[in-house]
PDB file of all heavy atoms in Angstrom:
ATOM      1  N   ASN A   7     -13.165   0.163   5.864  1.00  0.00           N
ATOM      2  CA  ASN A   7     -14.004  -0.185   6.876  1.00  0.00           C
ATOM      3  C   ASN A   7     -14.573   1.082   7.782  1.00  0.00           C
ATOM      4  O   ASN A   7     -15.748   0.973   8.280  1.00  0.00           O
ATOM      5  CB  ASN A   7     -13.269  -1.181   7.896  1.00  0.00           C
ATOM      6  CG  ASN A   7     -13.239  -2.506   7.440  1.00  0.00           C
ATOM      7  OD1 ASN A   7     -14.070  -2.974   6.561  1.00  0.00           O
ATOM      8  ND2 ASN A   7     -12.318  -3.362   7.968  1.00  0.00           N
ATOM      9  N   ALA A   8     -13.794   2.055   7.784  1.00  0.00           N
ATOM     10  CA  ALA A   8     -14.189   3.210   8.671  1.00  0.00           C
ATOM     11  C   ALA A   8     -15.414   3.873   7.976  1.00  0.00           C
ATOM     12  O   ALA A   8     -16.175   4.608   8.740  1.00  0.00           O
ATOM     13  CB  ALA A   8     -13.081   4.275   8.672  1.00  0.00           C
ATOM     14  N   ALA A   9     -15.623   3.811   6.679  1.00  0.00           N
ATOM     15  CA  ALA A   9     -16.821   4.377   6.034  1.00  0.00           C
ATOM     16  C   ALA A   9     -18.063   3.491   6.037  1.00  0.00           C
ATOM     17  O   ALA A   9     -19.033   3.956   5.458  1.00  0.00           O
ATOM     18  CB  ALA A   9     -16.441   4.815   4.635  1.00  0.00           C
ATOM     19  N   ARG A  10     -18.015   2.366   6.725  1.00  0.00           N
ATOM     20  CA  ARG A  10     -19.202   1.367   6.649  1.00  0.00           C
ATOM     21  C   ARG A  10     -19.559   1.121   8.086  1.00  0.00           C
ATOM     22  O   ARG A  10     -18.872   1.004   9.050  1.00  0.00           O
ATOM     23  CB  ARG A  10     -18.689   0.166   5.961  1.00  0.00           C
ATOM     24  CG  ARG A  10     -18.784   0.295   4.414  1.00  0.00           C
ATOM     25  CD  ARG A  10     -17.903  -0.524   3.615  1.00  0.00           C
ATOM     26  NE  ARG A  10     -18.053  -0.117   2.185  1.00  0.00           N
ATOM     27  CZ  ARG A  10     -17.425   0.933   1.701  1.00  0.00           C
ATOM     28  NH1 ARG A  10     -16.663   1.703   2.463  1.00  0.00           N
ATOM     29  NH2 ARG A  10     -17.601   1.253   0.403  1.00  0.00           N
ATOM     30  N   PRO A  11     -20.883   0.775   8.146  1.00  0.00           N
ATOM     31  CA  PRO A  11     -21.372   0.180   9.483  1.00  0.00           C
ATOM     32  C   PRO A  11     -20.702  -1.077   9.863  1.00  0.00           C
ATOM     33  O   PRO A  11     -20.161  -1.852   8.985  1.00  0.00           O
ATOM     34  CB  PRO A  11     -22.918   0.026   9.214  1.00  0.00           C
ATOM     35  CG  PRO A  11     -22.989  -0.164   7.769  1.00  0.00           C
ATOM     36  CD  PRO A  11     -21.916   0.677   7.132  1.00  0.00           C
ATOM     37  N   GLU A  12     -20.659  -1.363  11.207  1.00  0.00           N
ATOM     38  CA  GLU A  12     -19.920  -2.584  11.638  1.00  0.00           C
ATOM     39  C   GLU A  12     -20.410  -3.830  10.955  1.00  0.00           C
ATOM     40  O   GLU A  12     -19.488  -4.668  10.688  1.00  0.00           O
ATOM     41  CB  GLU A  12     -20.120  -2.617  13.122  1.00  0.00           C
ATOM     42  CG  GLU A  12     -19.267  -3.735  13.819  1.00  0.00           C
ATOM     43  CD  GLU A  12     -19.326  -3.614  15.344  1.00  0.00           C
ATOM     44  OE1 GLU A  12     -20.012  -2.705  15.907  1.00  0.00           O
ATOM     45  OE2 GLU A  12     -18.837  -4.511  16.000  1.00  0.00           O
ATOM     46  N   ALA A  13     -21.688  -3.979  10.650  1.00  0.00           N
ATOM     47  CA  ALA A  13     -22.052  -5.287   9.990  1.00  0.00           C
ATOM     48  C   ALA A  13     -21.496  -5.441   8.627  1.00  0.00           C
ATOM     49  O   ALA A  13     -21.451  -6.541   8.125  1.00  0.00           O
ATOM     50  CB  ALA A  13     -23.590  -5.285   9.977  1.00  0.00           C
ATOM     51  N   GLU A  14     -21.057  -4.446   8.013  1.00  0.00           N
ATOM     52  CA  GLU A  14     -20.524  -4.608   6.619  1.00  0.00           C
ATOM     53  C   GLU A  14     -19.004  -4.505   6.557  1.00  0.00           C
ATOM     54  O   GLU A  14     -18.350  -4.578   5.458  1.00  0.00           O
ATOM     55  CB  GLU A  14     -21.006  -3.384   5.744  1.00  0.00           C
ATOM     56  CG  GLU A  14     -22.582  -3.405   5.527  1.00  0.00           C
ATOM     57  CD  GLU A  14     -23.076  -2.325   4.609  1.00  0.00           C
ATOM     58  OE1 GLU A  14     -22.120  -1.560   4.078  1.00  0.00           O
ATOM     59  OE2 GLU A  14     -24.204  -2.106   4.419  1.00  0.00           O
ATOM     60  N   ARG A  15     -18.380  -4.427   7.693  1.00  0.00           N
ATOM     61  CA  ARG A  15     -16.885  -4.346   7.620  1.00  0.00           C
ATOM     62  C   ARG A  15     -16.285  -5.746   7.492  1.00  0.00           C
ATOM     63  O   ARG A  15     -16.753  -6.709   7.934  1.00  0.00           O
ATOM     64  CB  ARG A  15     -16.394  -3.728   8.978  1.00  0.00           C
ATOM     65  CG  ARG A  15     -16.796  -2.307   9.245  1.00  0.00           C
ATOM     66  CD  ARG A  15     -16.435  -1.749  10.637  1.00  0.00           C
ATOM     67  NE  ARG A  15     -16.966  -0.371  10.772  1.00  0.00           N
ATOM     68  CZ  ARG A  15     -16.830   0.323  11.835  1.00  0.00           C
ATOM     69  NH1 ARG A  15     -16.371  -0.295  12.967  1.00  0.00           N
ATOM     70  NH2 ARG A  15     -17.441   1.514  11.960  1.00  0.00           N
ATOM     71  N   LEU A  16     -15.112  -5.669   6.723  1.00  0.00           N
ATOM     72  CA  LEU A  16     -14.319  -6.870   6.442  1.00  0.00           C
ATOM     73  C   LEU A  16     -13.348  -7.135   7.508  1.00  0.00           C
ATOM     74  O   LEU A  16     -12.906  -6.227   8.346  1.00  0.00           O
ATOM     75  CB  LEU A  16     -13.678  -6.669   5.073  1.00  0.00           C
ATOM     76  CG  LEU A  16     -14.670  -6.328   3.980  1.00  0.00           C
ATOM     77  CD1 LEU A  16     -13.960  -6.099   2.718  1.00  0.00           C
ATOM     78  CD2 LEU A  16     -15.750  -7.390   3.763  1.00  0.00           C
ATOM     79  N   HIS A  17     -12.824  -8.374   7.532  1.00  0.00           N
ATOM     80  CA  HIS A  17     -12.008  -8.741   8.754  1.00  0.00           C
ATOM     81  C   HIS A  17     -10.692  -9.423   8.239  1.00  0.00           C
ATOM     82  O   HIS A  17     -10.681 -10.275   7.336  1.00  0.00           O
ATOM     83  CB  HIS A  17     -12.770  -9.853   9.516  1.00  0.00           C
ATOM     84  CG  HIS A  17     -14.096  -9.322   9.995  1.00  0.00           C
ATOM     85  ND1 HIS A  17     -14.231  -8.699  11.206  1.00  0.00           N
ATOM     86  CD2 HIS A  17     -15.317  -9.416   9.464  1.00  0.00           C
ATOM     87  CE1 HIS A  17     -15.513  -8.317  11.461  1.00  0.00           C
ATOM     88  NE2 HIS A  17     -16.213  -8.759  10.440  1.00  0.00           N
ATOM     89  N   VAL A  18      -9.591  -8.962   8.876  1.00  0.00           N
ATOM     90  CA  VAL A  18      -8.267  -9.516   8.604  1.00  0.00           C
ATOM     91  C   VAL A  18      -8.115 -10.973   9.233  1.00  0.00           C
ATOM     92  O   VAL A  18      -8.374 -11.086  10.353  1.00  0.00           O
ATOM     93  CB  VAL A  18      -7.145  -8.603   9.219  1.00  0.00           C
ATOM     94  CG1 VAL A  18      -5.838  -9.248   9.101  1.00  0.00           C
ATOM     95  CG2 VAL A  18      -7.204  -7.167   8.655  1.00  0.00           C
ATOM     96  N   ARG A  19      -7.663 -11.833   8.342  1.00  0.00           N
ATOM     97  CA  ARG A  19      -7.357 -13.236   8.818  1.00  0.00           C
ATOM     98  C   ARG A  19      -5.941 -13.422   9.127  1.00  0.00           C
ATOM     99  O   ARG A  19      -5.554 -14.151  10.047  1.00  0.00           O
ATOM    100  CB  ARG A  19      -7.914 -14.180   7.776  1.00  0.00           C
ATOM    101  CG  ARG A  19      -9.419 -14.043   7.615  1.00  0.00           C
ATOM    102  CD  ARG A  19     -10.333 -14.413   8.760  1.00  0.00           C
ATOM    103  NE  ARG A  19     -10.374 -15.781   9.058  1.00  0.00           N
ATOM    104  CZ  ARG A  19     -11.218 -16.585   8.537  1.00  0.00           C
ATOM    105  NH1 ARG A  19     -12.214 -16.201   7.752  1.00  0.00           N
ATOM    106  NH2 ARG A  19     -11.237 -17.961   8.903  1.00  0.00           N
ATOM    107  N   GLN A  20      -5.091 -12.821   8.324  1.00  0.00           N
ATOM    108  CA  GLN A  20      -3.622 -12.933   8.479  1.00  0.00           C
ATOM    109  C   GLN A  20      -2.846 -11.991   7.626  1.00  0.00           C
ATOM    110  O   GLN A  20      -3.392 -11.451   6.623  1.00  0.00           O
ATOM    111  CB  GLN A  20      -3.237 -14.392   8.177  1.00  0.00           C
ATOM    112  CG  GLN A  20      -3.356 -14.790   6.714  1.00  0.00           C
ATOM    113  CD  GLN A  20      -4.009 -16.105   6.654  1.00  0.00           C
ATOM    114  OE1 GLN A  20      -5.082 -16.342   6.995  1.00  0.00           O
ATOM    115  NE2 GLN A  20      -3.226 -17.086   6.045  1.00  0.00           N
ATOM    116  N   ARG A  21      -1.593 -11.774   8.021  1.00  0.00           N
ATOM    117  CA  ARG A  21      -0.667 -10.921   7.147  1.00  0.00           C
ATOM    118  C   ARG A  21      -0.133 -11.777   6.127  1.00  0.00           C
ATOM    119  O   ARG A  21       0.400 -12.943   6.439  1.00  0.00           O
ATOM    120  CB  ARG A  21       0.343 -10.294   7.964  1.00  0.00           C
ATOM    121  CG  ARG A  21       1.214  -9.222   7.179  1.00  0.00           C
ATOM    122  CD  ARG A  21       2.134  -8.499   8.106  1.00  0.00           C
ATOM    123  NE  ARG A  21       3.294  -9.354   8.488  1.00  0.00           N
ATOM    124  CZ  ARG A  21       4.105  -9.003   9.367  1.00  0.00           C
ATOM    125  NH1 ARG A  21       4.139  -7.791   9.919  1.00  0.00           N
ATOM    126  NH2 ARG A  21       5.186  -9.828   9.685  1.00  0.00           N
ATOM    127  N   VAL A  22      -0.016 -11.413   4.883  1.00  0.00           N
ATOM    128  CA  VAL A  22       0.555 -12.260   3.831  1.00  0.00           C
ATOM    129  C   VAL A  22       1.847 -11.640   3.155  1.00  0.00           C
ATOM    130  O   VAL A  22       2.669 -12.320   2.639  1.00  0.00           O
ATOM    131  CB  VAL A  22      -0.400 -12.570   2.723  1.00  0.00           C
ATOM    132  CG1 VAL A  22      -1.607 -13.313   3.199  1.00  0.00           C
ATOM    133  CG2 VAL A  22      -0.919 -11.289   2.014  1.00  0.00           C
ATOM    134  N   ALA A  23       2.069 -10.343   3.501  1.00  0.00           N
ATOM    135  CA  ALA A  23       3.302  -9.664   2.974  1.00  0.00           C
ATOM    136  C   ALA A  23       3.602  -8.391   3.642  1.00  0.00           C
ATOM    137  O   ALA A  23       2.550  -7.628   4.089  1.00  0.00           O
ATOM    138  CB  ALA A  23       3.138  -9.466   1.376  1.00  0.00           C
ATOM    139  N   ARG A  24       4.823  -8.011   3.883  1.00  0.00           N
ATOM    140  CA  ARG A  24       5.224  -6.754   4.402  1.00  0.00           C
ATOM    141  C   ARG A  24       6.482  -6.274   3.641  1.00  0.00           C
ATOM    142  O   ARG A  24       7.376  -7.000   3.548  1.00  0.00           O
ATOM    143  CB  ARG A  24       5.536  -6.827   5.898  1.00  0.00           C
ATOM    144  CG  ARG A  24       5.801  -5.568   6.556  1.00  0.00           C
ATOM    145  CD  ARG A  24       6.039  -5.726   8.127  1.00  0.00           C
ATOM    146  NE  ARG A  24       6.151  -4.410   8.754  1.00  0.00           N
ATOM    147  CZ  ARG A  24       7.276  -3.780   8.978  1.00  0.00           C
ATOM    148  NH1 ARG A  24       8.343  -4.239   8.371  1.00  0.00           N
ATOM    149  NH2 ARG A  24       7.260  -2.653   9.548  1.00  0.00           N
ATOM    150  N   MET A  25       6.332  -4.974   3.027  1.00  0.00           N
ATOM    151  CA  MET A  25       7.392  -4.676   2.146  1.00  0.00           C
ATOM    152  C   MET A  25       7.665  -3.122   2.238  1.00  0.00           C
ATOM    153  O   MET A  25       6.761  -2.400   2.288  1.00  0.00           O
ATOM    154  CB  MET A  25       7.040  -5.057   0.731  1.00  0.00           C
ATOM    155  CG  MET A  25       5.906  -4.205   0.168  1.00  0.00           C
ATOM    156  SD  MET A  25       4.860  -5.138  -0.985  1.00  0.00           S
ATOM    157  CE  MET A  25       3.854  -6.068   0.150  1.00  0.00           C
ATOM    158  N   PRO A  26       8.993  -2.760   2.377  1.00  0.00           N
ATOM    159  CA  PRO A  26       9.254  -1.293   2.241  1.00  0.00           C
ATOM    160  C   PRO A  26       9.100  -0.927   0.805  1.00  0.00           C
ATOM    161  O   PRO A  26       9.300  -1.640  -0.131  1.00  0.00           O
ATOM    162  CB  PRO A  26      10.765  -1.250   2.782  1.00  0.00           C
ATOM    163  CG  PRO A  26      11.260  -2.612   2.422  1.00  0.00           C
ATOM    164  CD  PRO A  26      10.128  -3.560   2.558  1.00  0.00           C
ATOM    165  N   THR A  27       8.798   0.310   0.624  1.00  0.00           N
ATOM    166  CA  THR A  27       8.678   0.972  -0.665  1.00  0.00           C
ATOM    167  C   THR A  27       9.600   2.162  -0.906  1.00  0.00           C
ATOM    168  O   THR A  27      10.050   2.782   0.076  1.00  0.00           O
ATOM    169  CB  THR A  27       7.225   1.334  -1.061  1.00  0.00           C
ATOM    170  OG1 THR A  27       6.741   2.258  -0.125  1.00  0.00           O
ATOM    171  CG2 THR A  27       6.310   0.040  -0.990  1.00  0.00           C
ATOM    172  N   TYR A  28       9.791   2.413  -2.137  1.00  0.00           N
ATOM    173  CA  TYR A  28      10.872   3.493  -2.554  1.00  0.00           C
ATOM    174  C   TYR A  28      10.192   4.408  -3.659  1.00  0.00           C
ATOM    175  O   TYR A  28       9.331   4.013  -4.336  1.00  0.00           O
ATOM    176  CB  TYR A  28      12.140   2.795  -3.026  1.00  0.00           C
ATOM    177  CG  TYR A  28      12.646   1.717  -2.068  1.00  0.00           C
ATOM    178  CD1 TYR A  28      11.981   0.454  -2.121  1.00  0.00           C
ATOM    179  CD2 TYR A  28      13.686   1.969  -1.247  1.00  0.00           C
ATOM    180  CE1 TYR A  28      12.513  -0.458  -1.177  1.00  0.00           C
ATOM    181  CE2 TYR A  28      14.179   1.082  -0.287  1.00  0.00           C
ATOM    182  CZ  TYR A  28      13.548  -0.202  -0.309  1.00  0.00           C
ATOM    183  OH  TYR A  28      14.093  -1.239   0.573  1.00  0.00           O
ATOM    184  N   ALA A  29      10.870   5.563  -3.724  1.00  0.00           N
ATOM    185  CA  ALA A  29      10.653   6.317  -4.981  1.00  0.00           C
ATOM    186  C   ALA A  29      11.586   5.815  -6.105  1.00  0.00           C
ATOM    187  O   ALA A  29      12.792   5.550  -5.794  1.00  0.00           O
ATOM    188  CB  ALA A  29      10.917   7.766  -4.739  1.00  0.00           C
ATOM    189  N   CYS A  30      11.104   5.747  -7.305  1.00  0.00           N
ATOM    190  CA  CYS A  30      11.844   5.287  -8.447  1.00  0.00           C
ATOM    191  C   CYS A  30      12.162   6.467  -9.390  1.00  0.00           C
ATOM    192  O   CYS A  30      11.148   7.139  -9.824  1.00  0.00           O
ATOM    193  CB  CYS A  30      11.164   4.180  -9.217  1.00  0.00           C
ATOM    194  SG  CYS A  30      12.108   3.380 -10.515  1.00  0.00           S
ATOM    195  N   VAL A  31      13.424   6.742  -9.679  1.00  0.00           N
ATOM    196  CA  VAL A  31      13.755   7.871 -10.505  1.00  0.00           C
ATOM    197  C   VAL A  31      14.040   7.402 -11.858  1.00  0.00           C
ATOM    198  O   VAL A  31      14.778   6.445 -12.153  1.00  0.00           O
ATOM    199  CB  VAL A  31      15.070   8.545  -9.889  1.00  0.00           C
ATOM    200  CG1 VAL A  31      15.560   9.667 -10.776  1.00  0.00           C
ATOM    201  CG2 VAL A  31      14.879   8.971  -8.369  1.00  0.00           C
ATOM    202  N   SER A  32      13.507   8.103 -12.866  1.00  0.00           N
ATOM    203  CA  SER A  32      13.606   7.777 -14.216  1.00  0.00           C
ATOM    204  C   SER A  32      15.027   7.985 -14.745  1.00  0.00           C
ATOM    205  O   SER A  32      15.705   8.968 -14.470  1.00  0.00           O
ATOM    206  CB  SER A  32      12.662   8.644 -15.052  1.00  0.00           C
ATOM    207  OG  SER A  32      12.994   8.397 -16.454  1.00  0.00           O
ATOM    208  N   PRO A  33      15.593   6.929 -15.491  1.00  0.00           N
ATOM    209  CA  PRO A  33      16.836   7.158 -16.047  1.00  0.00           C
ATOM    210  C   PRO A  33      16.892   8.104 -17.210  1.00  0.00           C
ATOM    211  O   PRO A  33      18.064   8.547 -17.672  1.00  0.00           O
ATOM    212  CB  PRO A  33      17.244   5.727 -16.623  1.00  0.00           C
ATOM    213  CG  PRO A  33      15.879   5.122 -16.890  1.00  0.00           C
ATOM    214  CD  PRO A  33      14.932   5.750 -15.908  1.00  0.00           C
ATOM    215  N   ARG A  34      15.828   8.689 -17.737  1.00  0.00           N
ATOM    216  CA  ARG A  34      15.693   9.662 -18.771  1.00  0.00           C
ATOM    217  C   ARG A  34      15.168  10.958 -18.332  1.00  0.00           C
ATOM    218  O   ARG A  34      14.672  11.745 -19.140  1.00  0.00           O
ATOM    219  CB  ARG A  34      14.962   9.057 -19.965  1.00  0.00           C
ATOM    220  CG  ARG A  34      15.718   7.838 -20.656  1.00  0.00           C
ATOM    221  CD  ARG A  34      14.902   7.321 -21.784  1.00  0.00           C
ATOM    222  NE  ARG A  34      15.779   6.366 -22.593  1.00  0.00           N
ATOM    223  CZ  ARG A  34      15.825   5.187 -22.366  1.00  0.00           C
ATOM    224  NH1 ARG A  34      15.214   4.693 -21.282  1.00  0.00           N
ATOM    225  NH2 ARG A  34      16.542   4.373 -23.074  1.00  0.00           N
ATOM    226  N   SER A  35      15.111  11.192 -17.026  1.00  0.00           N
ATOM    227  CA  SER A  35      14.637  12.522 -16.583  1.00  0.00           C
ATOM    228  C   SER A  35      15.563  13.647 -16.892  1.00  0.00           C
ATOM    229  O   SER A  35      16.817  13.438 -17.030  1.00  0.00           O
ATOM    230  CB  SER A  35      14.477  12.505 -14.995  1.00  0.00           C
ATOM    231  OG  SER A  35      14.187  13.739 -14.483  1.00  0.00           O
ATOM    232  N   ALA A  36      14.974  14.830 -17.100  1.00  0.00           N
ATOM    233  CA  ALA A  36      15.888  16.006 -17.295  1.00  0.00           C
ATOM    234  C   ALA A  36      16.595  16.460 -16.068  1.00  0.00           C
ATOM    235  O   ALA A  36      17.511  17.153 -16.082  1.00  0.00           O
ATOM    236  CB  ALA A  36      14.975  17.110 -17.782  1.00  0.00           C
ATOM    237  N   TRP A  37      16.167  15.928 -14.877  1.00  0.00           N
ATOM    238  CA  TRP A  37      16.899  16.146 -13.612  1.00  0.00           C
ATOM    239  C   TRP A  37      17.947  15.062 -13.455  1.00  0.00           C
ATOM    240  O   TRP A  37      17.679  13.880 -13.749  1.00  0.00           O
ATOM    241  CB  TRP A  37      15.879  15.914 -12.376  1.00  0.00           C
ATOM    242  CG  TRP A  37      14.891  16.978 -12.317  1.00  0.00           C
ATOM    243  CD1 TRP A  37      13.740  17.193 -13.042  1.00  0.00           C
ATOM    244  CD2 TRP A  37      14.966  18.098 -11.354  1.00  0.00           C
ATOM    245  NE1 TRP A  37      13.043  18.240 -12.574  1.00  0.00           N
ATOM    246  CE2 TRP A  37      13.778  18.843 -11.598  1.00  0.00           C
ATOM    247  CE3 TRP A  37      15.799  18.570 -10.393  1.00  0.00           C
ATOM    248  CZ2 TRP A  37      13.453  20.115 -10.873  1.00  0.00           C
ATOM    249  CZ3 TRP A  37      15.588  19.579  -9.625  1.00  0.00           C
ATOM    250  CH2 TRP A  37      14.408  20.375  -9.947  1.00  0.00           C
ATOM    251  N   PRO A  38      19.147  15.376 -12.955  1.00  0.00           N
ATOM    252  CA  PRO A  38      20.171  14.440 -12.743  1.00  0.00           C
ATOM    253  C   PRO A  38      19.670  13.389 -11.660  1.00  0.00           C
ATOM    254  O   PRO A  38      19.129  13.851 -10.711  1.00  0.00           O
ATOM    255  CB  PRO A  38      21.275  15.206 -12.178  1.00  0.00           C
ATOM    256  CG  PRO A  38      21.134  16.569 -12.762  1.00  0.00           C
ATOM    257  CD  PRO A  38      19.686  16.709 -12.781  1.00  0.00           C
ATOM    258  N   GLN A  39      19.831  12.167 -11.961  1.00  0.00           N
ATOM    259  CA  GLN A  39      19.432  11.110 -11.100  1.00  0.00           C
ATOM    260  C   GLN A  39      19.951  11.319  -9.668  1.00  0.00           C
ATOM    261  O   GLN A  39      19.194  11.146  -8.632  1.00  0.00           O
ATOM    262  CB  GLN A  39      19.747   9.734 -11.602  1.00  0.00           C
ATOM    263  CG  GLN A  39      18.705   9.254 -12.618  1.00  0.00           C
ATOM    264  CD  GLN A  39      19.033   7.691 -12.860  1.00  0.00           C
ATOM    265  OE1 GLN A  39      20.141   7.332 -13.183  1.00  0.00           O
ATOM    266  NE2 GLN A  39      17.963   7.076 -12.908  1.00  0.00           N
TER     267      GLN A  39
END
């Protein structure tokens, strides 16, 4: 939205999900997990 004029901006109607995220470490990395 910040890159567009006000007339072209989209609008939030509601939140549908909220989730924490994590880094996922490969089980086959050369680094010890």
